[in-house]
Amino acid sequence: MTIDVAVIPGEDAAPEAMDQVIRIIDSLDLEIAWHYPEVGAAAKEKWGTTFPDAAIQLIDQCTTTLFGSTSGPSGRALHYLRWGKQTYANVRPARWRPGFRSPLAKPQGVDFVIVRENLEDLYLSLEGELADLAPLGLTSGTAGKPPQALGTGFYALKAITEEGSARVIRYAFELARQRRARGLPGHVTLGSKWNMLPKSDGLFRDIGEAIAAEYDDVPYRAFIIDDLAHRMVADPHALDVVVMPNLYGDILSDAAAGLVGGLGLAPSGCYGNDYAYFESAHGTAPDIAGKGIINPTATLMSAGMMLEYLGLTEASRQIDVAITRIYRENRSLTPDQGGQAGTVQFADSMIQLLSATDPSTPIAR
Ligand code: ATP
């Protein structure tokens, strides 16, 4: 049976990566039909809106969405995929493979996953003028003044809920169990800033403790987020599943990508209870748009996560094996990984490898 997948390539250099990823996956002859909802600048010109109803309908008709990256115009579509579809767990793997250009002296064995809460925290984008807070009668716990007395400026609201924290933390524990079953360590590390923000970030930590007590087979630790940032760089081998609120997860997952070799290698999947979509963790790379050199690996690995979600496990595994080989053999790598190949050449090599890959080849770690 054909699986319908919506594709939103995004802006700047992102579509250059997406086009090649679609070509690579098509080379596997899977029963996937790609659909391209009209969103962003093209939709605006034609329909007067960046996210017309027809696009929503098409996304809803498809089983999942593969998303490039947006610099703004496809933003409403992205918001729909997150908040509209309640995809609360943003899973961002950071796994080094031979050939990945890591700055670490010993990157061998670095293999952890950040589970970032995807819908709350500062990313609700609730901002306003400090003066507007006067009627609330608030006093800063540190500055000892009401917010409107701090000066002229803006506030941003950080919201952490019990429900939102519990579901993402539970997701992290389930993922740890799955990883344990695959021979990985299978433990959870939680980070938040509970010392400065005992209510919001304190709640996140308290819920972590409560859920950890339910999963007594899954080892659990919690660190204040700055301590965790240090540990992530100083001893990344000690991490397995790492769960944190939205903003910290966004920042530290870019840092994690840097540890294993760069943003071009950082995939992600956003999972909810009954929907998931997939996008690379990097942005639209506007500085290299049109040059044909964006590294499509992050988008390809995200597509691999998508294939697994769709139950196309063997295809996902084949892609994983081919990525491991292309880097191990230093074939047709893009400039961010020290190579001279363009995006299309990289894809050509992947297609060649996929047609030659023995499916029984074990996944190298
Ligand atoms: P966002 O806020 O949307 O995450 P950003 O400001 O983090 O975006 P990116 O678009 O991720 O910025 O790019 C940061 C740098 O990394 C740029 O120099 C960009 O060219 C580079 N970069 C990002 N992704 C890739 C990729 N897939 N291949 C090569 N270079 C990349």
Side-chain angles (χ1 to χ4, degrees):
M1 210 180 67
T2 303
I3 302 173
D4 294 305
V5 175
V7 181
I8 299 178
E11 286 88 38
D12 302 325
E16 297 167 39
M18 183 64 84
D19 288 351
Q20 297 311 312
V21 167
I22 301 295
R23 202 161 73 83
I24 292 166
I25 296 180
D26 276 346
S27 78
L28 293 173
D29 274 334
L30 304 171
E31 302 258 313
I32 289 182
W34 308 108
H35 302 272
Y36 291 80
E38 245 179 323
V39 304
K44 175 90 177 166
E45 202 165 299
K46 199 159 154 193
W47 309 102
T49 165
T50 56
F51 195 40
D53 287 348
I56 302 178
Q57 277 165 19
L58 189 49
I59 290 171
D60 286 349
Q61 281 161 15
C62 291
T63 307
T64 184
T65 298
L66 188 57
F67 193 92
S69 284
T70 181
S71 57
S74 304
R76 282 185 57 208
L78 182 67
H79 295 166
Y80 181 67
L81 291 169
R82 288 196 189 170
W83 285 273
K85 297 288 193 188
Q86 288 289 292
T87 49
Y88 58 83
N90 184 190
V91 175
R92 295 185 158 188
R95 175 181 142 206
W96 183 82
R97 306 177 200 223
F100 279 17
R101 248 188 155 190
S102 169
L104 296 173
K106 289 189 184 139
Q108 294 80 1
V110 172
D111 183 352
F112 64 93
V113 181
I114 290 179
V115 178
R116 162 196 176 199
E117 198 291 317
N118 211 24
L119 304 177
E120 304 194 332
D121 195 357
L122 284 161
Y123 286 55
L124 290 166
S125 253
L126 281 165
E127 297 183 295
E129 292 193 25
L130 283 169
D132 293 345
L133 295 175
L136 295 178
L138 302 170
T139 300
S140 158
T142 48
K145 291 181 187 175
Q148 66 277 14
L150 295 171
T152 308
F154 298 94
Y155 67 85
L157 192 77
K158 174 183 169 98
I160 303 273
T161 70
E162 282 180 24
E163 299 78 2
S165 304
R167 63 188 179 178
V168 75
I169 294 169
R170 212 173 278 288
Y171 188 98
F173 275 89
E174 291 293 331
L175 181 61
R177 274 189 181 158
Q178 286 167 24
R179 283 171 64 86
R180 164 92 46 101
R182 294 196 346 246
L184 294 159
H187 54 75
V188 172
T189 306
L190 176 146
S192 79
K193 190 78 182 171
W194 64 77
N195 53 337
M196 287 302 293
L197 300 166
K199 288 188 178 155
S200 52
D201 278 15
L203 176 67
F204 196 82
R205 198 237 347 218
D206 291 349
I207 290 176
E209 308 265 295
I211 292 176
E214 288 173 33
Y215 287 79
D216 54 7
D217 56 315
V218 180
Y220 168 78
R221 297 176 306 168
F223 298 106
I224 291 173
I225 197 72
D226 34 349
D227 184 13
L228 178 57
H230 172 258
R231 287 168 186 271
M232 187 172 284
V233 175
D235 190 15
H237 299 86
L239 298 174
D240 190 55
V241 176
V242 187
V243 63
M244 48 196 136
N246 205 336
L247 176 66
Y248 309 136
D250 192 9
I251 296 169
L252 287 187
S253 54
D254 268 32
L259 279 180
V260 295
L263 287 170
L265 308 170
S268 101
C270 298
Y271 300 81
N273 288 336
D274 40 35
Y275 191 81
Y277 82 95
F278 300 84
E279 61 173 336
S280 72
H282 62 72
T284 58
D287 51 333
I288 54 171
K291 295 190 175 158
I293 55 165
I294 186 169
N295 186 346
T297 307
T299 306
L300 183 60
M301 291 200 281
S302 308
M305 292 169 76
M306 179 189 81
L307 294 176
E308 196 170 342
Y309 170 75
L310 293 173
L312 300 170
T313 315
E314 181 51 31
S316 172
R317 211 186 66 85
Q318 279 178 281
I319 286 183
D320 196 72
V321 169
I323 290 173
T324 297
R325 281 193 60 189
I326 204 168
Y327 279 90
R328 195 179 57 212
E329 294 169 14
N330 194 3
R331 286 201 205 192
S332 306
L333 301 187
T334 46
D336 58 300
Q337 295 301 311
Q340 286 171 354
T343 314
V344 174
Q345 276 172 285
F346 178 95
D348 289 344
S349 279
M350 273 300 293
I351 290 168
Q352 209 178 24
L353 274 175
L354 281 167
S355 65
T357 299
D358 171 2
S360 64
T361 311
I363 298 173
R365 288 213 169 269

